[in-house]
């Protein structure tokens, strides 16, 4: 497989989120009932199954079928999301990322060359050997007349420097005086301005520097040596500057400079800040005089490194006897042509010296010396060579800043090998100029070494020293290829420019060989670079520090198809770390490259998602980026790919959908012109379609995009509104808000959080109008309002559903009627089961605004109409900010935000309260709304009265110490008119912060803040969206490799499966006589134990009370493990505890009586519990009497919830989405619920009238069985469950009357076995999942255990003796999933007892 295909395949498998069926290791499930089709199911009350299965056949499957493979709620989003964590996950512009960019990009603008040679006259302090070094700039000064030689040497030095910096100004002084040097320095500084000046001094014809730090020049007649103090030189050249001193004892000058810098550092750090020194030797050393070296060996190393290195190497290699040294001067090619011998040598030399410097120097020093200035970088690379060569002659070049020794670095061996290979080819290439050039294997070998490191390296190990070589491999072929695509790109992007690269390298001819060569090295180098970047942010930072950025930026200019995928991947990794690169991309037109890639259908969706991510970062808070992408039609591209061309096509990759939405959201963010373009492009309808996608990340991203389409209230820029455009905009905003209000009850906190944030933005933009509606809502109304509602005027009529008698009918209270009346799309019948009235009724007058059709029951979000006076509706209020939308939306908004303020997820509730405060509602707190039900038993069907008018009035009255007249306490005729508002129930269970009431209007002023519009301070503290930054974290994590955690999880899973199978086999063979109480735990709950749960693989029992205090206990050690509150709200009540993912990392589901579900992880760690998710399982449905029942089915990933309502809600916890709503088709409430652990989609429900029904979510009719096994008694079903074993057709049902009925749904509606367990006091039923045993408990302090044949195996009674068993009124029973253990929780003495067989160990 090609390397690119390998990367692509890894991307495909790693970036897609695991499905629930593959999240855990999959074992073959023989005859698994999950695989049965709907046709296998029995018909309602049918005697036989359709497929004719006999019970014996049903029991054949192996026990492994009982171990479901589905794992839910284990995605990254369940690790918890808050603003701080999300911000840390997103791209940054500071901290780690700020280090790789050179703080000040420098350029050497002027070069001063000073040569003091005085040819033919030796200085007095130098005694030369014979023969001695004579060559200066590779010229023998004695081969011609001294003046001519001096002139030629000066010109040659000029040309040698010019090769490294061709655009600098060069000034040359030969044997100068002090005045000439001063003039030279002043001229250079004048030309260079703030750029760097290079001062090169050759002092081979003058004495050594003085101990005071003076160099020597001449007088005008050349009769004297004149000292020039370094202090003067520094004062003339100023800073920034770089000095090269090629003379004996040059270290003295460096020492003098450092003393000057230390002296001046107290007053000014400018000289020290940017002054660089390169000196040929230390203070006590003289330059080498051996004839094998040039006299200016230091200058030769700095300006002609390849020639110097080859001459030096050739004399020390095996080639020294067989090769003519003069051939070195004839090496063919050019240094900047990397397909020639000289060019390749220069390329390899650059790679090696860069590698040595990067591996040896501190990060900041490497950046300053090797990345800030092209000429300085070249000189320091060559300085490393000078150190190696001159140290062989006992001479040590020095520098400031000081570099560590590098002359023995092992990478020099790689250079020697490359040099030897090149030199061995030299005679043949010179003899035959047309001979084919064979490139060196250097880069291939180094890339192989880098690949080996990638296979075994990590962040904790030493970084790969080959990284700079990878850069050179990319850079080298980039230069060779740059012109090949230049004409094509120039026509498309004339503005492209790459000032950071050497433009002279872009003018090379391209040959077929060169193209093939560049493709082979470049592609491999880029793929390896991509693998390295994927190791984490630290790797990205290292690569950027090496200097990869300008080269991958330039590669966006190419049209090479094979590079597209890897380039997108590399840029994804770079931008996941550093957002600041967005400026460079837009400046160079790089955004167009990614828009074209995003629009291409031949790339993998995951890779196109990366392109969308790159574009999202480009436009994130960057107006120029937003404008550039709009001009490049990014909106149209994103919207086109968000909607499938064919609705029957396979679903688009979720990651792509997610990032298309996020990209659009960032493009529209705080950019009104872009928002208008989005509205005109029909973006809302396209995005609204995504609000039902199965992946929460996609839904949240769609909400984020829709929220950024909302107008924050900015005024029109042109001063004159186009009414038609503005009307269309208002209509589109209404559509967006209605859609957001409908998904405010989504099952995922990730989605609901984004909805709450978007709605808060709406509150900020429509602040005045919402405040007006709120003021009307809480303002006492006059009787004139009644006259506008003739249907409501006769409210005390005995036949009216709103009469006081009917107000007290529990769930049929006033507010529960008004809600459906005021909404669009209510039930078609005039009155429903609970007295609902359709919108066709004359009661629904035009003065009443319509709510959102969320559900068929009295809904948290359908109770949204708000009654306003006519002069305040229909957009009659005009302000300078956003135009008012239909007041219906404002009423729905207030209702929804009151619900959001009570969200079970704390962050969302906080956002909801913040939104309410923006519209004038002070911070809300939960009211402990205990119902006055006369102490009815929990779970009983008696519905407590809920006179919301009274509750509302008395709440206000209590708060304000009776300042209202007694009329406000009397609901029948003249309650405050706001009692008719459908948002009432959302507010009735809250109380608002108390204030002194000085206003005659009573309630309005304390609730409404004084400011009419949000101030800048208010806008600045609006809650910030987290989905974008959090989503960015996906690309910062490794994408190409699997996590080791998966292997550990698989191993743990296999171990637990084996333990479970062993325990199942053991408990199926046991007697199941639970006669031994192995533990008794006083939970110290004030209100008794409401629920208990045994963990499967540890001796842990979890208990909870009615106040939702959860405690964890180790029953082997009799020690507490953890204790925490399910929530901190005052409105409490527990329904059930369940275990999710029991074979993997278990999660604890705690269901509250109000239908809120909270799921916890790490609950067995003291203080370590963490909320994974929370949602309302009955969102859109109001269950009166707090009688929610719930159960969990692991193999399908479904949660079933119901209660005193007409529907059963099926939630998919993997998608965190409401899967379906099943009508119970019963007149009574559901009192018990049990999901089958054998057949996916099956669940049984017991009703308050004693009936039993079985449902199948896959069946068209849903209801597949109906029976009344407890007739003629009509007590409610307390417990129901599928019988142990593999028979999905047998169930057990227990009623409050005390009878336990065993039914076979295939044969008849009548039970085949009846057990009279308790007489009228049965309170709990437990059915073991595997062992043939059931248990029941009563309020009379008794527990009985029965076999499936009806035999009573155990009876546990209260024994008051000291050693006896102390049990109380049994509130709950729970079997261990795999063992013969039974936990019982008492209601009066808060004890939890655990029972086992006699021989339990």
């Amino acid at each position: 497989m090609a390397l690119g295909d390998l990367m692509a395949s890894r991307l495909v498998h790693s970036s897609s989120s695991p499905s629930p069926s593959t999240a855990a290791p999959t074992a073959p499930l023989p005859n698994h009932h999950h695989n049965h089709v709907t046709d296998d199911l029995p018909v309602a009350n049918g005697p036989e199954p359709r497929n004719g299965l006999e019970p014996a056949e049903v029991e054949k499957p192996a026990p492994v079928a009982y171990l479901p493979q589905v794992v839910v709620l284990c995605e990254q989003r369940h690790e918890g999301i808050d603003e701080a964590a999300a911000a840390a996950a997103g791209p940054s512009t500071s901290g780690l990322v700020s280090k790789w960019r050179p703080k000040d990009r420098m350029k050497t603008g002027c070069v001063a060359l000073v040569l003091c040679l005085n040819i033919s006259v030796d200085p007095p302090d130098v005694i030369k050997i014979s023969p001695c070094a004579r060559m200066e700039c590779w010229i023998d000064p004695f081969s011609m007349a001294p003046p001519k030689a001096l002139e030629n040497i000066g010109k040659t030095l000029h040309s040698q420097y010019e090769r490294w910096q061709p655009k600098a100004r060069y000034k040359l002084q030969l044997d100068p005086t002090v005045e000439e040097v001063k003039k030279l320095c002043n001229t250079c500084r004048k030309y260079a301005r703030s750029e760097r000046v290079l001062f090169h001094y050759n002092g081979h014809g003058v004495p050594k520097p003085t101990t005071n730090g003076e160099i020597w020049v001449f007088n005008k007649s050349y009769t004297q040596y004149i000292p020039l103090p370094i202090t003067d030189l520094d004062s003339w050249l100023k800073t920034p500057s770089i000095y090269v001193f090629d003379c004996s004892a040059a270290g003295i000058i460096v020492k003098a400079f450092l003393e000057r810098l230390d002296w001046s550092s107290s007053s000014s750090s400018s000289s020290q800040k940017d002054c660089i020194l390169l000196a040929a030797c230390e203070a006590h050393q003289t330059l080498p005089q051996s004839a094998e070296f040039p006299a200016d060996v230091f200058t030769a190393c700095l300006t002609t490194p390849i020639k110097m290195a080859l001459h030096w190497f050739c004399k020390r290699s095996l080639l020294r006897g067989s090769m003519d040294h003069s051939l070195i001067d004839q090496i063919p090619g050019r240094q900047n042509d990397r397909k020639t011998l000289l060019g390749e040598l220069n390329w390899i030399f650059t790679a090696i010296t860069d590698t040595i410097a990067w591996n040896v120097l501190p990060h900041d020093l490497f950046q300053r010396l090797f990345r800030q200035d092209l000429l300085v970088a070249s000189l320091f690379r060559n300085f490393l060579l000078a150190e190696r060569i001159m140290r062989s002659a006992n001479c040590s070049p020095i520098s400031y800043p000081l570099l560590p020794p590098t002359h023995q670095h092992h990478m020099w061996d790689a250079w020697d090998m490359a040099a030897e290979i090149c030199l061995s080819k030299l005679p043949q290439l010179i003899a035959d100029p047309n001979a084919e050039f064979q490139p060196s294997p250097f880069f291939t070998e180094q890339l192989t070494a880098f690949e080996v490191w990638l296979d075994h390296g990590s962040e904790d190990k030493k970084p790969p020293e080959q990284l700079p070589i990878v850069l050179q491999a990319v850079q080298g072929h980039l230069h060779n290829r740059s012109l090949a695509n230049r004409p094509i790109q120039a026509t498309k992007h004339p503005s492209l420019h790459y000032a950071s690269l050497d433009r002279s390298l872009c003018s090379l001819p391209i040959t077929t060989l060169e193209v093939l060569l560049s493709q082979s090295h470049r592609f491999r180098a880029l793929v390896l670079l991509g693998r390295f970047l994927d190791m984490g942010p630290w790797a990205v930072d290292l690569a950027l520090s090496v200097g990869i950025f300008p080269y991958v930026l330039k590669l966006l200019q190419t049209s090479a198809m094979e590079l597209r995928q890897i380039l997108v991947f590399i840029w994804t990794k770079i931008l996941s770390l550093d957002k600041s690169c967005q400026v460079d991309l837009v400046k160079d037109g790089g955004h167009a490259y990614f828009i074209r890639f995003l629009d291409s259908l031949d790339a993998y969706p995951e890779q196109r998602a990366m392109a969308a991510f790159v574009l999202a970062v480009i436009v994130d808070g960057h107006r120029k980026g937003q404008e550039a992408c709009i001009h490049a039609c990014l909106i149209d591209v994103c919207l086109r790919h968000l909607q499938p061309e064919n609705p029957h096509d396979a679903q688009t990759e979720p990651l792509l959908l997610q990032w298309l939405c996020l990209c659009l959201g960032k493009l529209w963010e705080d950019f009104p012109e872009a928002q208008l373009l989005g509205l005109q492009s029909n973006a809302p309808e396209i995005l609204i379609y995504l609000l039902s996608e199965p992946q929460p990340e996609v839904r949240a991203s769609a909400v984020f995009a829709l929220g950024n389409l909302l107008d924050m209230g900015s005024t029109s820029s042109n001063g004159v509104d186009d009414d038609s455009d503005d009307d269309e905009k208002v209509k589109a905003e209404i559509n967006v808000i209605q859609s957001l209000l409908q998904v405010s009850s989504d099952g995922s906190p990730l989605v609901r959080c984004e909805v709450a944030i978007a709605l808060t933005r709406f509150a900020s933009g429509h602040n005045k109008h919402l405040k007006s509606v709120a003021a009307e809502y809480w303002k006492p109304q006059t009787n004139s309002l009644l006259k506008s509602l003739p249907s409501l005027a006769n409210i005390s009529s005995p036949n009216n559903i709103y009469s006081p008698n009917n107000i007290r009918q529990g769930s049929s209270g006033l507010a529960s009627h008004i809600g459906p009346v005021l909404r669009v799309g209510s039930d078609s019948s005039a009155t429903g089961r609970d007295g609902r009235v359709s919108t066709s009724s004359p009661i629904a007058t035009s003065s009443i605004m319509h709510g959102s059709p969320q559900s068929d029951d009295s809904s948290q979000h359908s109770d949204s109409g708000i009654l306003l006076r006519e002069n305040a509706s229909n957009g009659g209020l005009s302000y300078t900010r956003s135009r008012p939308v239909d007041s219906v939306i404002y009423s729905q908004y207030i209702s929804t935000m009151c619900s959001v303020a009570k969200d079970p997820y704390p962050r969302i509730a906080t956002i909801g309260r913040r939104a309410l405060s923006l519209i004038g509602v002070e911070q809300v707190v939960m009211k402990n709304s205990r119902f006055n039900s006369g102490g009815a038993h929990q779970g009983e069907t008696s519905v407590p009265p809920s006179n919301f008018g009274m509750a509302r009035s008395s709440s206000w009255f209590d708060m304000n110490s009776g300042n209202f007249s007694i009329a406000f306490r009397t609901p029948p005729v003249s309650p405050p008119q706001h009692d008719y508002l459908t948002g009432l129930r959302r507010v009735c269970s809250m109380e608002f912060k108390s204030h002194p009431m000085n206003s005659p209007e009573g309630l309005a002023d304390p609730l409404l803040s004084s400011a009419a519009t949000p101030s800048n301070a208010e806008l600045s503290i609006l809650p910030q969206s987290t989905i974008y930054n959090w989503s960015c974290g996906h690309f910062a994590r490794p994408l190409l490799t699997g996590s080791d955690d998966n292997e550990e999880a698989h191993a743990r899973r296999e171990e637990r499966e084996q333990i479970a199978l062993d325990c199942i086999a053991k408990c199926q063979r046991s007697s199941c006589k639970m006669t031994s109480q192995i533990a008794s735990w006083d939970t110290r709950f004030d209100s008794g134990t409401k629920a208990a749960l045994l963990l499967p693989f540890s001796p842990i029992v979890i208990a909870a009370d009615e106040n939702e205090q959860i405690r964890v206990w180790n029953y082997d050690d009799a020690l507490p493990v953890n204790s925490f509150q399910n929530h901190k709200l005052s409105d409490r009540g527990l329904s059930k505890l369940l275990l999710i993912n029991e074979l993997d990392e278990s999660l604890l589901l705690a269901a509250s009586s109000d239908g809120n579900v909270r799921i916890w992880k790490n609950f067995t760690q003291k203080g370590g519990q963490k909320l994974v998710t929370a949602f309302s399982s009955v969102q859109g449905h109001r269950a009166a009497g707090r009688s929610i029942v719930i159960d969990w089915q692991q193999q399908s990933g479904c949660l079933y919830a119901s209660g005193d309502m007409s529907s059963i809600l099926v939630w998919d916890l993997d998608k965190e989405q409401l899967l379906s709503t099943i009508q119970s088709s019963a007149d009574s409430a559901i009192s018990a619920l049990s999901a089958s652990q054998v057949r996916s989609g099956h669940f049984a429900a017991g009703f308050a009238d004693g009936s039993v029904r079985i449902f199948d979510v896959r069946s068209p009719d849903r209801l597949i069985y109906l029976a009344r096994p407890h007739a003629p008694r009509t007590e409610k079903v307390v417990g129901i469950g599928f019988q142990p074993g593999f028979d999905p057709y047998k169930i057990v049902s227990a009623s409050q009357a005390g009878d336990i009925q065993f039914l076979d749904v295939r044969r008849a509606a009548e039970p085949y076995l009846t057990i009279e367990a308790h007489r009228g006091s049965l309170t709990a039923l437990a059915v073991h999942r595997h062992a043939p045993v059931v248990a029941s408990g009563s309020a009379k302090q008794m527990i009985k255990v029965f076999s499936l044949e009806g035999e009573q195996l155990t009876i546990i009674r209260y024994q008051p003796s000291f050693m006896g068993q102390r049990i109380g009124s049994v509130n709950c029973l729970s079997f261990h999933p795999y063992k013969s253990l039974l936990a019982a929780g008492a209601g009066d003495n808060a004890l939890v007892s655990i029972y086992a067989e006699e021989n339990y160990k």
Side-chain angles (χ1 to χ4, degrees), residues 138 163 304-314 319 323-347 349 415 418-433 437:
W138 303 102
R163 186 181 300 119
T304 56
I306 303 301
K307 186 174 183 177
M308 185 67 235
L310 292 181
H311 273 285
W312 181 79
F313 172 75
C314 194
L319 301 173
M323 183 177 173
D324 182 2
H325 290 194
S326 63
L327 294 179
I328 295 176
D329 299 330
Q330 305 175 41
I331 294 178
R334 292 175 297 173
Q335 279 191 272
N336 56 6
D337 188 349
R338 296 176 178 179
K339 66 182 181 66
T340 63
L341 183 59
L342 182 59
E344 185 173 59
L345 276 173
N346 185 60
W347 183 21
F349 177 80
W415 163 251
E420 187 167 8
I421 292 174
C422 289
L423 287 175
S424 65
K425 302 173 184 175
L426 187 56
Q428 179 187 358
L429 290 174
I430 293 177
D432 182 8
F437 170 69

Side-chain angles (χ1 to χ4, degrees), residues 8-21:
S9 66
R10 285 176 174 175
L11 285 174
V12 170
H13 292 300
S14 62
S15 60
S16 57
S17 46
S19 66
S21 59

Side-chain angles (χ1 to χ4, degrees), residues 1096-1144:
F1097 301 106
S1098 54
I1100 298 291
V1101 61
I1102 305 170
D1105 68 349
E1106 184 66 21
N1107 290 324
E1108 302 195 58
Q1109 179 75 27
I1110 300 173
R1111 289 178 181 162
V1112 186
W1113 192 60
N1114 185 313
Y1115 53 82
D1116 274 3
D1117 302 332
L1119 292 174
V1121 176
N1122 194 18
S1123 177
F1124 61 96
Q1125 287 234 321
N1126 193 29
H1127 59 82
K1128 296 182 180 179
L1129 306 177
S1130 58
D1131 195 7
R1132 294 175 185 161
L1134 189 84
S1135 174
K1136 195 169 186 179
L1137 294 178
L1138 293 167
L1139 202 61
I1140 295 177
N1141 303 340
E1142 64 184 32
L1143 288 167
D1144 300 274

Side-chain angles (χ1 to χ4, degrees), residues 782-907:
T782 63
N783 287 334
S784 62
L785 190 56
L786 285 176
K787 298 175 184 178
S788 67
L789 297 173
S791 301
L792 294 179
N794 189 16
I795 195 166
S796 60
S797 167
N799 296 325
N800 194 295
I801 59 171
Y802 297 106
S803 65
N805 292 332
N806 284 326
I807 286 176
R808 293 183 174 87
Q809 291 177 356
S811 63
S812 302
L814 171 65
S816 66
H817 291 297
I818 292 292
V821 168
L822 299 185
R823 71 185 181 193
V824 178
S826 295
D827 299 327
S828 58
S829 59
T831 56
R833 173 179 61 84
D834 54 356
R836 293 175 291 177
V837 181
S838 73
T839 53
S840 61
S841 169
I843 197 172
T845 65
S846 60
S847 327
I848 304 177
M849 288 159 295
H850 301 281
S852 167
Q854 178 76 14
S855 160
D856 61 352
D857 278 276
S858 298
S859 165
Q860 293 186 5
H861 298 294
S862 60
D863 307 341
S864 50
I866 290 188
L867 201 59
L868 297 181
R869 294 181 303 187
E870 293 180 8
N871 64 352
S873 62
N874 301 324
L877 303 169
S878 60
Y879 294 95
T880 56
R881 292 174 67 81
S882 310
R883 287 184 53 170
V885 298
D886 187 350
S887 298
V888 178
I889 300 300
Y890 296 139
S891 63
Q892 294 177 9
Y893 177 89
I894 294 174
S895 170
T896 299
M897 292 315 293
C898 288
S899 175
V900 172
K902 298 196 300 182
D903 194 277
Y905 204 82
R907 170 168 159 76

Side-chain angles (χ1 to χ4, degrees), residues 906-942:
R907 170 168 159 76
I908 300 171
T910 301
I911 296 171
R913 292 193 292 270
R914 172 65 187 138
L916 288 175
S917 70
L918 275 178
I919 61 173
V921 181
E922 293 297 331
Q923 184 178 4
V924 296
V925 293
M926 290 304 165
K927 175 192 170 199
N928 194 354
S929 55
R930 296 291 180 187
F931 295 97
N932 298 322
S933 56
H937 261 301
Q938 280 294 333
E940 292 188 1
T941 57
S942 59

Side-chain angles (χ1 to χ4, degrees), residues 38 98 245 279 310 375 395 438 522 641 791 877 888 906 1148 1197:
T38 308
S98 64
F245 296 107
L310 292 181
L375 181 58
C395 190
Q438 295 292 333
R522 181 179 60 184
H641 294 293
S791 301
L877 303 169
V888 178
L1148 177 66

Side-chain angles (χ1 to χ4, degrees), residues 941-1111:
T941 57
S942 59
V943 181
S946 54
N947 183 333
F948 291 97
M950 281 295 290
R952 178 72 179 267
S953 302
S954 60
S955 172
W956 294 121
F957 191 85
D958 295 342
M959 198 171 68
N960 296 289
S961 306
N963 290 339
F964 293 99
S965 66
I966 195 67
F968 281 95
R969 299 192 189 189
T970 310
V973 179
S974 58
Q977 196 61 45
H978 51 253
D979 283 347
Y980 298 114
L981 303 180
T982 56
L984 181 62
R985 284 203 311 281
R986 302 274 49 81
V987 186
C988 69
S989 60
M990 301 179 188
E991 56 188 28
F992 295 82
K993 191 181 296 182
S994 176
H995 290 275
M997 288 204 169
N998 301 320
S999 167
E1001 293 186 338
L1003 300 178
D1005 285 351
L1007 293 173
L1008 303 177
S1009 62
S1010 58
T1013 58
S1015 64
N1016 290 336
E1018 284 179 318
L1019 291 174
S1020 66
I1021 59 173
L1022 286 177
Q1024 297 300 308
S1025 171
T1026 56
I1027 181 65
Y1028 170 75
N1029 282 334
W1030 175 81
S1031 298
C1032 289
H1034 169 78
F1035 294 112
R1037 293 185 287 272
L1039 301 175
L1040 302 178
T1041 56
S1043 173
D1044 294 339
D1045 295 341
N1046 290 341
E1047 297 180 4
E1048 295 177 7
H1050 289 187
R1052 182 172 60 250
R1053 167 84 186 205
E1054 291 176 359
E1055 179 185 358
R1056 288 187 170 185
E1057 282 183 351
Q1058 190 57 52
I1059 294 173
L1061 292 175
D1062 293 345
C1063 291
I1064 290 171
K1066 184 176 180 181
C1067 77
Q1068 287 175 337
R1069 296 190 302 266
S1070 67
S1071 65
C1072 298
K1073 294 183 178 180
M1074 316 276 182
T1075 55
S1076 174
Q1077 184 181 40
I1078 63 170
S1080 182
W1081 171 31
D1082 185 357
T1083 60
R1084 303 186 185 276
F1085 288 140
D1086 294 335
S1087 56
T1089 304
K1090 184 66 191 301
L1093 190 67
L1094 290 165
L1095 295 195
F1097 301 106
S1098 54
I1100 298 291
V1101 61
I1102 305 170
D1105 68 349
E1106 184 66 21
N1107 290 324
E1108 302 195 58
Q1109 179 75 27
I1110 300 173
R1111 289 178 181 162

Side-chain angles (χ1 to χ4, degrees), residues 741-772:
L741 293 175
Q742 289 179 2
V743 296
S744 62
S745 58
D746 192 276
S748 171
L750 188 67
V751 181
R752 298 199 310 278
C753 185
E754 292 303 315
V755 172
I757 290 168
L759 293 177
T760 307
R761 284 173 55 90
F762 178 75
S764 176
H766 295 257
N767 183 266
K768 286 187 177 180
H769 315 299
L770 283 165
K771 282 190 173 182
S772 174

